[in-house]
Amino acid sequence: MEKLTICLLFLFSLSLFSSIADGGSIGVNYGRVANNLPSASKVIALLKSQGVERVKVYDADPAVLKALSGSGIKVTVDLPNELLYNAAKRQSFAYSWVQKNVAAYYPSTQIESIAVGNEVFVDPHNTTRFLVLAMKNIHQALVKYNFHDKIKVSSPIALSALQNSYPSSAGSFRSELIEPVIKPMLDFLRQTGSYLMVNCYPFFAYESNSDVIPLDYALFHENPGVVDAGNGLRYFSLFDAQIDAVNAALSGLKYDDIKMVVTETGWPSKGDETEKGASVDNAASYNGNLVKRILTGGGTPLRPKEELTVFLFAIFNENKKPGPTSERNFGLFYPNEKKVYDIPLTMEGLKHYVDRPPVAGNHRMQKGKKGNVTALAGQTWCVASGESGKDNLQAALDYACGEGGADCRSIQPGSTCYNPNTLEAHASFAFNSYYQKNGRAMGSCYFGGAAFIVHQQPKYGSCELPTED
């Protein structure tokens, strides 16, 4: 999600691991798109009380970094997307940013990595072309302060960066991104000893395709598994399958040596009536079973010996996030610091952990027409969110019809879907074209929070949003 909106609470890093990618550990994202959250000092005290050892933030807010000072909690800070242009174009800006947001706090505040941007490939403001140069300039600034061996630089990507994700063995990056940005970024990660940051949300795949994806498979419940026809491996969770789709994409480009950190994942405790699977019980199952899965060790079927570090999304429910109800209900805690549900926070807690049964019934896994897991029944569409604001909608519309490659001919003056001539109607048509064109892949209906998925065919005036099966 900047969808952002993905992996959240209790990061229990095992004490014998000193680096973020050395062993299985759980971290938590500290999102703050809300007006009712506790002070930063109270939040850090809460994290310490839960045994949390890693946290990821979406900026470099001084109050948060000061509150983390001396806490012993390792921190990932973020250089926001809107600063990528400056960081790419001016080395002096990168030096200044690192001085103000890293050097001023380190090492008392244990900054271990910098996320340069967030899901830049789906950013409607077209910042992709600035990404790698910004990463290099930030790294060069770390070299100036001799922090480069201690603080890693990367950038979280959404699964929408993949052209194919099912079966996992067919995982591949979007062809138009490979030469301009994917390969240069992976080269940078290799040269600096860093890792690929990935945001991974099985909830969105299940919510959009609940007729074909078993809930047990999405929630880490006991299930017969799904055999990947391409490599013969059996998968028992959608999370593992999605991660291995990224691993396969890396292997396809000869970057098998690049490690991965899952910088966002989670499951909402509440959603709209059409948001299948969003419930307290399912959120507790997903996050609780994920914590167990990660802390008890082991990698994915494709990389069985590679432990994962995963950041849960998020600490709190955030009441100012736009979009459907689920977007405001990914938190492990309410703003009053009470738990939304109770799941283990430590290895000790896992000894007494009992999973909850899934809320919805199981469904048979089927293969879509193009080899993807798609909704053979229960079609979905992507529409614009009127709550996202005129400027955000316009920027997202420009991206969809431009770099995104959506078919926007029907909303041109005089064409079939030009009327009603409103920004929301035109944006919905463009977003849906992009979403359908990309096989309704997870993350392809996001546009920086300006879009969401619906389950009934939308109609604007006399124009119905089409499908492109």
Side-chain angles (χ1 to χ4, degrees), residues 93-115:
F93 177 89
Y95 284 146
S96 175
W97 190 89
V98 168
Q99 191 281 321
K100 292 177 181 178
N101 300 293
V102 178
Y105 303 98
Y106 185 84
S108 180
T109 298
Q110 296 184 27
I111 298 170
E112 63 176 345
S113 60
I114 299 172

Side-chain angles (χ1 to χ4, degrees), residues 119-252:
E119 299 187 353
V120 173
F121 304 152
V122 293
D123 180 7
H125 297 287
N126 195 23
T127 51
T128 296
R129 63 187 183 277
F130 306 122
L131 176 60
V132 176
L133 186 53
M135 294 172 70
K136 289 180 177 179
N137 284 348
I138 291 295
H139 180 262
Q140 190 58 39
L142 293 176
V143 172
K144 177 182 178 180
Y145 288 97
N146 199 30
F147 294 160
H148 58 289
D149 288 334
K150 307 174 186 70
I151 301 174
K152 300 302 181 185
V153 175
S154 187
S155 183
I157 66 170
L159 288 193
S160 57
L162 299 183
Q163 182 122 5
N164 297 303
S165 60
Y166 182 85
S168 297
S169 58
S172 61
F173 290 108
R174 283 163 46 189
S175 56
E176 74 273 18
L177 295 174
I178 291 175
E179 294 300 330
V181 63
I182 295 291
K183 281 187 175 180
M185 180 174 68
L186 295 177
D187 284 336
F188 168 83
L189 298 179
R190 175 181 281 166
Q191 291 161 8
T192 59
S194 189
Y195 37 80
L196 181 64
M197 294 177 169
V198 177
N199 295 345
C200 168
Y201 285 90
F203 166 73
F204 291 113
Y206 173 79
E207 184 264 342
S208 299
N209 305 285
S210 59
D211 289 333
V212 294
I213 296 178
L215 189 57
D216 284 338
Y217 186 65
L219 297 179
F220 300 94
H221 286 296
E222 183 177 349
N223 64 88
V226 177
V227 176
D228 187 315
N231 56 25
L233 297 174
R234 185 177 293 272
Y235 286 85
F236 295 96
S237 75
L238 182 55
F239 174 85
D240 279 4
Q242 290 181 333
I243 295 303
D244 269 355
V246 181
N247 283 327
L250 290 170
S251 296

Side-chain angles (χ1 to χ4, degrees), residues 251-457:
S251 296
L253 297 181
K254 312 299 183 186
Y255 290 93
D256 302 78
D257 55 316
I258 300 296
K259 306 296 184 183
M260 189 188 312
V261 166
V262 180
T263 37
E264 285 185 23
T265 192
W267 196 283
S269 59
K270 185 178 180 181
D272 295 326
E273 186 176 343
T274 56
E275 293 186 283
K276 302 289 183 63
S279 72
V280 169
D281 286 346
N282 288 348
S285 280
Y286 179 80
N287 285 317
N289 288 332
L290 177 64
V291 169
K292 180 180 179 180
R293 154 81 175 79
I294 298 302
L295 291 186
T296 54
T300 62
L302 198 58
R303 295 188 180 184
K305 297 182 179 179
E306 190 171 304
E307 306 275 5
L308 280 173
T309 291
V310 172
F311 287 80
L312 299 176
F313 186 90
I315 302 176
F316 297 109
N317 286 338
E318 298 172 71
N319 68 341
K320 289 297 183 180
K321 296 197 75 173
T325 298
S326 64
E327 287 293 321
R328 294 175 289 282
N329 289 279
F330 272 87
L332 297 165
F333 290 85
Y334 295 109
N336 64 5
E337 302 183 41
K338 300 296 184 182
K339 290 182 178 180
V340 178
Y341 44 83
D342 191 20
I343 62 173
L345 309 181
T346 64
M347 286 290 292
E348 181 65 24
L350 285 174
K351 295 178 181 179
H352 310 289
Y353 174 60
V354 178
D355 186 21
R356 310 183 188 197
V359 170
N362 294 333
H363 303 282
R364 183 170 55 93
M365 179 77 77
Q366 301 180 45
K367 218 191 241 188
K369 294 179 182 178
K370 299 178 181 178
N372 295 320
V373 176
T374 56
L376 302 183
Q379 176 63 275
T380 55
W381 294 262
C382 181
V383 298
S385 169
E387 299 178 2
S388 63
K390 180 179 178 180
D391 290 344
N392 287 338
L393 271 186
Q394 186 63 58
L397 172 60
D398 292 343
Y399 169 81
C401 292
E403 184 179 335
D407 184 353
C408 297
R409 291 173 294 180
S410 295
I411 55 175
Q412 300 306 309
S415 295
T416 55
C417 289
Y418 179 71
N419 289 316
N421 181 20
T422 67
L423 180 57
E424 185 173 342
H426 286 187
S428 293
F429 191 95
F431 295 171
N432 184 67
S433 173
Y434 179 89
Y435 175 63
Q436 304 294 340
K437 173 185 174 183
N438 285 279
R440 301 187 292 277
M442 190 195 77
S444 61
C445 181
Y446 182 63
F447 297 98
F452 60 96
I453 291 168
V454 296
H455 296 261
Q456 293 184 342
Q457 189 167 23

